[in-house]
Structures are given as C-alpha cells and as structure tokens.
Amino acid sequence: MTEPTMTPFRNRRLKLAEQMRARGGGVAVVATAPEVPRNRDTTYPFRADSYFWYLSGFPEPEAVVVVDARGAEPRSILFCRDKNEEREIWDGFRFGPIAAAERFGFDEAKSIGTLDEELPKLLADAPAVYHPLAASPEADTAMQRWLATVRGQARAGVSAPSAAWDVRALLDEMRLVKDAHEIDIMRRAARISAQAHVRAMKATAPGRREYEIEAELLHEFRRQGSPFPAYGSIVAAGANACVLHYRENDATMRDGELLLIDAGCELDGYASDITRTWPVGGRFSGPQRELYDIVLASQAAAIAATKPGARFTDPHDAAVRVLAQGMVDCGLVQGTVDGAIESGAYRRFYMHRTGHWLGMDVHDCGDYREPGEAPPAGGDKPWRVLRPGMVLTVEPGIYVRAADDVPEAYRDIGIRIEDDALVVEGGCEILTVDVPKAAADIEALMRAG
Ligand code: GLY
Ligand code: MN
Ligand code: MN
C-alpha cells in the first residue's frame, strides 16, 4: 500500500492560518481526544478528536497540533509521544517526534512531555489564541496554566494573548465543505456500508436474531478495513423500528415483520449513514408496501430538492409534503394535506428532520443557518444555502406506534430510507446508491440471496 499523502492536511493548516491572519494573527492549539478507560487496565478503542484529525491525520493519542500564524510563513508544530521501547512492546508502534514531523508534514515536532514548557513560549506575544473554547475542563485548565506562565513574564516585557477565539468556529466552516480528499474517503465509506446492507438483506430470515444481522454488518465493515461503525448500529424488527434510537438488537425476527437497519461504517475518520427497511420474510405485505412507497416517494422528492442554491430545509419541506399527502390518503391523518402540515399532525408519524450534515462526525459540524445573512425582523436567521462539496443525509420515515385510533393494518410499522448526498453542480450525487431501495428490487435481492 502506498503511503497516503499528507498534503490535504497541510493545506488545511495553511488555510486555517490564513483565516487567523485575516483576524490579526495568533496561535492555534488543538489537542486530540483522551484515551478513555473502560475498566481495569483497558480503554475504549481510541478515536482521534475530529478537529485534530482534520488538521493532522496523526493517529496516536497524547498529541497536540499548534499552528503559529504570526511570522511571514505560518508554522505548524506537532507535539507527540516519544519513542519508547518498553511501551511499544506492550502497546505497539509510536512514531516519535522525529519520524512524525517528516511523515505528517509538520515544520517541527516535539515531545508531548515538553508541552508545559513549550506552549508558554509559543503563546508569548501572540495577539490571540485559537483553541476549542470551553470544550473540556482539561483543555481549559491546560490553557489557563500556559497563559499564567506567559503572564508571569509581564515584567520581562512579554505580553499574553488578549483575545481567545473558538478555533472550532473556523474549522466548522471549513469542514462543512468537503475537499477532494474527504470526498474520496466518504465515497469509499459509503460503498462499504452499502455492501454491508446488501449482505444484511441476504442474511435476513424469520427466526434469526437482530444481533445476527448486526454481525453481518460488522463483518463487512471490518472485512473492508473500517475500524468501527460510525455510530451504534440500529437493527430493529417489527415494532422496534418505531423506537428511533433502538439499541438492544436482540429480538427474534418474525415472518410478516419489517426489519429497519440504520448502520454505517467509519473509514479513515469519516462516517457513512444508511438506513434501509425490508421484509423479514422477503415480501412486503400490502399495508407495508403502501407506507414504504410513500416514504420512498418522499425521499425522491427530498433528493430532487438537494442541490446548490437550495436551503438546508428545502429537502425536509419536500419530504414532509409527500409524507403528509400519503398519511392523508391512507387515513393515518384526517383532513387536508395543508392542514396536516400547518397543524403539525403529520409529526405523530414523522417526528424527526429529513437530514443532517455528514462528515467526520455522523451528525457533522457546521451551522444549519447561513452565518452571513441577517435574520428578517423578528425572525430566525435563514437556513444555510447548499453548496457543492457539502454532504448531508436524506432520511425520511414513517413510524406508526400501535394505538386504538390508528388503522390496524399499519400498527407497529416503522420505515426509514436514508442515503448520503454530496451536493454537486446542478444537483447531488448519492454516495450510497449501491444498496437497493425500490421495493421490487429489495424483494428480488432477497429471493436471490
Ligand atoms: N444514524 C443516525 C442518524 O441517522 O442520524
Ligand atoms: Mn442513520
Ligand atoms: Mn442520519
């Protein structure tokens, strides 16, 4: 395997520095995530902090990126663990500062053990510090310690930063529009997750447990190099599909039920997020098919509305109109479509939004409102305008919990169809096309499986 290029990470550090300079310069400090103890002598699988990863691509814990945007040329410095023969025997390879600087394209790298000594030097006379503001007590305490040291040098003529910016605000805007390197990873992550859903469809049969199907998903993720799912997989049969964040995944699946799976892998730090719903026995019943086709049509309407120049909420509004129409047509909701939308009556069966930003985090960063636009008098800020490079999910659904006042045929049916959409010129590219969603295609695949 060829070594991945570190150019995109370096470019992001340069772009961050440019924005800091536009605000008068300063020094950015971004640490990776801590290792989290699970129980005695074991930790949860390590996952880097997303912002740190975005700027470095450096995989080890106990590391900090510093971007110094003061001089003629911005400099980036990595603090990381030293080489340690003993620890490497027990826990595995460490780059150490010398190899890390070269491999990850930093101007310099230093031992993490020197952080308390070096950070005050780097922050001395900096006009501003850029860090994740009030993100964790540990990070705030460390910053307080470094700044206290700088302030202690006041009589020597050293000045401490007089402003602090939340570096995440700058990075969120950058992360919202994916670069070519990110898009490539997200396409691959989506493809793996699509294949996992196909595998799960083929493995579904009455009498099997939800967790057996979850195992099929995990098998495919891992087989293709994903370290872990991007979020806890939801494998929900029958009425369980009406629990939006169902986690148990331990029920026995029965013929006549639908199975809703919401699962996606993480790959190289990026999430994918797919939901499909299919019949446990391989054939939709009449009422299931009726609701399924409403959700599918609502998703098609939402996808058609996902294009440059549209507002973030346009796909949602398009989906809601089709869903509300379907609910009125099949008697789940009484009255008119406009009435159901205005009163919010449809929300009894569709209580979430139609999408969210997707990226390193499954619910990715980025303001959903347009930062540059003033709100109209007395109103909210307008929704974000979609631009090429943004990635969002499109995930309408219908969930009918059993109740005396809903038609019996629809009770306990939960359906969601979720794809990942990259906004491109003129529309959007669905990254998750490799898993079928038309009812007839699902039935054909299950017959063949
Ligand atoms: N899987 C989480 C979501 O769909 O938002
Ligand atoms: Mn999902
Ligand atoms: Mn989602």
Side-chain angles (χ1 to χ4, degrees):
M1 184 177 130
T2 53
E3 296 213 327
T5 172
M6 299 325 282
T7 309
F9 297 94
R10 194 176 168 79
N11 287 345
R12 292 172 202 155
R13 296 196 294 270
L14 292 173
K15 192 165 168 194
L16 173 64
E18 233 171 73
Q19 295 180 71
M20 290 160 60
R21 287 155 86 109
R23 288 167 172 74
V27 174
V29 183
V30 180
T32 196
E35 281 190 292
V36 182
R38 185 171 185 278
N39 54 33
R40 197 186 309 260
D41 296 339
T42 63
T43 54
Y44 283 100
F46 176 70
R47 185 194 185 267
D49 173 79
S50 297
Y51 296 102
F52 173 88
W53 181 265
Y54 183 74
L55 291 173
S56 71
F58 187 68
E60 296 178 19
E62 297 186 86
V64 174
V65 165
V66 175
V67 176
D68 184 346
R70 282 176 297 180
E73 289 294 321
R75 284 169 51 73
S76 51
I77 303 154
L78 176 71
F79 287 85
C80 65
R81 301 183 302 191
D82 287 313
K83 296 289 291 174
N84 181 324
E85 199 177 332
E86 171 74 7
R87 288 316 325 158
E88 291 186 55
I89 288 170
W90 285 90
D91 297 327
F93 176 76
R94 298 174 173 200
F95 278 95
I98 296 169
E102 183 173 351
R103 175 71 188 74
F104 293 88
F106 281 82
D107 298 301
E108 204 179 338
K110 293 174 187 279
S111 164
I112 189 78
T114 67
L115 199 61
D116 278 351
E117 192 184 321
E118 297 295 329
L119 249 293
K121 291 186 206 161
L122 286 161
L123 292 171
D125 293 326
V129 61
Y130 290 75
H131 72 130
L133 211 54
S136 76
E138 293 76 19
D140 286 353
T141 306
M143 185 53 72
Q144 197 178 20
R145 202 167 57 236
W146 301 325
L147 291 181
T149 306
V150 182
R151 290 185 195 117
Q153 297 160 8
R155 277 191 297 275
V158 174
S159 63
S162 58
W165 295 80
D166 194 340
V167 71
R168 293 173 300 184
L170 300 182
L171 293 173
D172 285 351
E173 283 297 304
M174 289 170 64
R175 283 175 53 186
L176 185 53
V177 179
K178 274 66 182 171
D179 61 32
H181 178 257
E182 297 180 286
I183 289 169
D184 175 59
I185 298 170
M186 292 191 75
R187 282 202 180 105
R188 285 190 285 126
R191 210 172 301 133
I192 294 170
S193 295
Q195 287 169 11
H197 275 256
V198 168
R199 186 184 179 101
M201 266 181 206
K202 289 179 176 168
T204 301
R208 299 194 77 184
R209 297 276 203 148
E210 292 164 343
Y211 54 65
E212 292 181 68
I213 308 306
E214 182 182 8
E216 299 291 337
L217 297 163
L218 297 176
H219 178 100
E220 196 62 31
F221 293 168
R222 211 54 202 104
R223 196 177 78 76
Q224 301 209 40
S226 155
F228 28 61
Y231 52 90
S233 307
I234 296 168
V235 182
N240 297 336
C242 297
V243 179
L244 296 179
H245 293 159
Y246 177 70
R247 291 209 178 85
E248 285 76 4
N249 295 1
D250 60 359
T252 301
M253 302 181 293
R254 291 176 309 204
D255 200 10
E257 291 178 335
L258 293 179
L259 178 66
L260 180 155
I261 292 193
D262 184 344
C265 72
E266 180 171 309
L267 188 73
D268 294 346
Y270 287 80
S272 52
D273 185 5
I274 302 182
T275 307
R276 289 289 185 272
T277 309
W278 58 81
V280 168
R283 276 191 72 83
F284 288 90
S285 70
Q288 289 169 347
R289 176 71 188 259
E290 223 183 310
L291 295 191
Y292 188 87
D293 285 344
I294 294 168
V295 177
L296 189 63
S298 76
Q299 203 217 22
I303 288 173
T306 303
K307 55 188 178 194
R311 298 275 176 182
F312 169 75
T313 201
D314 288 348
H316 177 69
D317 293 343
V320 162
R321 180 147 289 279
V322 176
L323 290 171
Q325 177 76 60
M327 289 175 200
V328 168
D329 290 348
C330 72
L332 277 170
V333 168
Q334 311 307 315
T336 65
V337 174
D338 285 335
I341 294 173
E342 209 158 298
S343 69
Y346 72 88
R347 289 204 193 104
R348 177 173 178 195
F349 306 106
Y350 182 48
M351 58 297 280
H352 59 79
R353 293 198 68 88
T354 304
H356 51 82
W357 306 132
L358 183 72
M360 306 190 78
D361 302 345
V362 64
H363 291 179
D364 207 31
C365 60
D367 205 330
Y368 286 95
R369 304 273 178 177
E370 197 58 56
E373 282 186 57
D380 292 325
K381 263 187 174 178
W383 291 98
R384 177 80 74 163
V385 176
L386 300 181
R387 286 197 278 145
M390 292 177 172
V391 181
L392 62 161
T393 64
V394 187
E395 51 177 306
I398 290 183
Y399 314 90
V400 187
R401 296 179 83 89
D404 290 343
D405 62 340
V406 294
E408 204 170 338
Y410 302 127
R411 290 181 196 167
D412 289 334
I413 294 178
I415 296 165
R416 179 163 63 256
I417 305 171
E418 175 174 28
D419 283 296
D420 303 344
L422 164 69
V423 181
V424 296
E425 290 302 337
C428 66
E429 172 189 331
I430 300 301
L431 305 178
T432 42
V433 282
D434 294 344
V435 50
K437 62 184 167 186
D441 293 344
I442 289 175
E443 289 179 346
L445 189 137
M446 293 185 75
R447 265 198 308 277

